[in-house]
Amino acid sequence: MSEMSNNFDNDTECSRGDESDQPQPMAYMDDGGAGRINFKGRMIEDRDWYSLCQLLQRLFMQAHINCMKMADLIIAQNFLGSVIYQCETDGNGSGIENDEDSIVFGIITILNMTAKKDLPCIQQLHTFIMQSAEKYATEDVLKKFDNILSDTSRPVGFLIYERLVNIPADISIGLLENLQAEIMLAQQKGMKFGFAYYLMIIKLYRREAKNGKPKEYFYTNVEEEFFAHKAISSFEYSMIDDSGDWLDGEDAPPPYRKILLFEADQIPSIIDELREKIEESK
């Protein structure tokens, strides 16, 4: 495997607001030019529906999954998760509103695949996962996915983390910490958000072994490699038929998706390892 990509050199700051137990809004700033670009995390709102559909379509591409219904489901549980949007700031750090404030640049949330297994969009997701595993995974991996997704006694959460690549990677620390806090609050209120496993779909490029060089992986969002390392089972499939004009020349590695399962209690260690990598890169 190739060395982990380093996208952490952005000069970013995080403002978490007050120190209450409630999850707090986040702000991440990229210091470039006269106006600072401020990436903010906020609660998911009804106005985000169209942007959520687009982000989900980027993730699933031509898979037969109703992204509109899944966006409805995400908004219906808007107490859980965040969207990322941007605004400019003046020299005093005050926000300057612009037409892009309502454009969503990323989403992090989690859907309970076990508790909501009878909803059509979750059924479509389950079918897509298992059909993909039958086609691309080994027999052992297929059996592992089938056993875990079929075991209603150990709930599986579908962790949706989709963002544009030009956003600093260290935004994921605040997003993950905020999501963890929101999950804990939901559990304290008796909601069904206690998970044994997380399922996640991540994007990468893969260059096959050639001329004595080993197979190489290039993750679209660098932090997703940390999730991949924690997977107890995973498989990949090519997106080259869906890529259109993405490929930049004959030498460009083709796009892939990796579907992985990891234990839910691994999130804190993923956050710690990611934070350590960021600190090393500063």
Side-chain angles (χ1 to χ4, degrees):
M1 181 176 293
S2 63
E3 294 184 2
M4 189 175 297
S5 306
N6 185 350
N7 290 342
F8 301 109
D9 294 332
N10 307 74
D11 181 15
T12 57
E13 299 175 358
C14 175
S15 175
R16 294 302 300 272
D18 61 49
E19 297 299 324
S20 70
D21 292 334
Q22 293 286 337
Q24 298 298 324
M26 299 157 289
Y28 301 82
M29 303 179 185
D30 187 9
D31 195 5
R36 302 186 72 188
I37 301 301
N38 188 2
F39 293 102
K40 291 185 176 181
R42 62 161 170 79
M43 184 178 179
I44 301 166
E45 300 176 358
D46 290 351
R47 60 174 170 155
D48 301 323
W49 182 85
Y50 181 72
S51 293
L52 293 180
C53 290
Q54 289 185 312
L55 288 168
L56 291 170
Q57 287 168 353
R58 279 168 47 92
L59 183 64
F60 295 125
M61 296 301 289
Q62 297 183 25
H64 182 63
I65 296 174
N66 192 325
C67 295
M68 294 183 291
K69 292 297 185 182
M70 189 168 287
D72 288 341
L73 187 56
I74 291 170
I75 290 174
Q77 58 167 52
N78 64 353
F79 55 86
L80 194 66
S82 307
V83 293
I84 306 168
Y85 73 106
Q86 77 172 40
C87 68
E88 295 181 359
T89 57
D90 59 22
N92 297 320
S94 300
I96 303 173
E97 294 185 3
N98 57 56
D99 292 338
E100 294 187 341
D101 284 351
S102 62
I103 299 175
V104 170
F105 290 82
I107 170 71
I108 185 169
T109 191
I110 192 158
L111 299 176
N112 192 328
M113 292 184 65
T114 305
K116 299 185 180 298
K117 59 184 176 63
D118 294 328
L119 294 180
C121 64
I122 300 300
Q123 290 177 340
Q124 290 171 344
L125 173 63
H126 186 278
T127 298
F128 167 70
I129 297 297
M130 294 312 302
Q131 287 181 346
S132 298
E134 289 172 1
K135 187 174 182 180
Y136 300 108
T138 65
E139 195 66 32
D140 288 344
V141 169
L142 172 61
K143 185 177 180 180
K144 187 81 168 179
F145 269 77
D146 187 34
N147 289 341
I148 289 177
L149 293 180
S150 300
D151 185 359
T152 57
S153 68
R154 294 177 61 78
V156 177
F158 175 39
L159 178 58
I160 302 171
Y161 178 47
E162 178 71 9
R163 67 170 179 82
L164 302 188
V165 295
N166 60 336
I167 298 174
D170 50 353
I171 194 173
S172 59
I173 293 178
L175 292 174
L176 286 165
E177 288 179 333
N178 214 49
L179 184 63
Q180 283 284 93
E182 290 168 337
I183 289 173
M184 291 180 63
L185 284 174
Q187 288 180 273
Q188 290 170 9
K189 295 178 180 178
M191 300 180 185
K192 295 181 179 180
F193 288 101
F195 300 106
Y197 303 99
Y198 288 145
L199 181 142
M200 192 174 184
I201 303 174
I202 61 177
K203 298 186 292 187
L204 68 155
Y205 295 84
R206 191 177 85 185
R207 179 174 286 132
E208 301 300 329
K210 186 177 180 181
N211 298 328
K213 295 182 179 180
K215 185 185 298 182
E216 294 180 286
Y217 291 88
F218 308 91
Y219 288 82
T220 303
N221 294 326
V222 65
E223 64 272 22
E224 291 180 339
E225 187 166 359
F226 291 87
F227 292 99
H229 287 168
K230 297 295 184 180
I232 59 173
S233 192
S234 65
F235 64 92
E236 304 161 12
Y237 58 95
S238 173
M239 297 295 295
I240 196 166
D241 292 337
D242 292 335
S243 62
D245 297 328
W246 295 0
L247 301 183
D248 299 322
E250 295 181 359
D251 294 332
Y256 278 75
R257 294 288 189 271
K258 182 190 283 280
I259 301 180
L260 51 91
L261 284 166
F262 61 95
E263 295 174 340
D265 61 8
Q266 290 297 308
I267 290 289
S269 65
I270 290 173
I271 294 173
D272 290 341
E273 291 174 15
L274 181 57
R275 181 181 287 109
E276 182 180 351
K277 183 63 179 182
I278 291 171
E279 291 299 323
E280 290 176 356
S281 304
K282 289 183 177 178

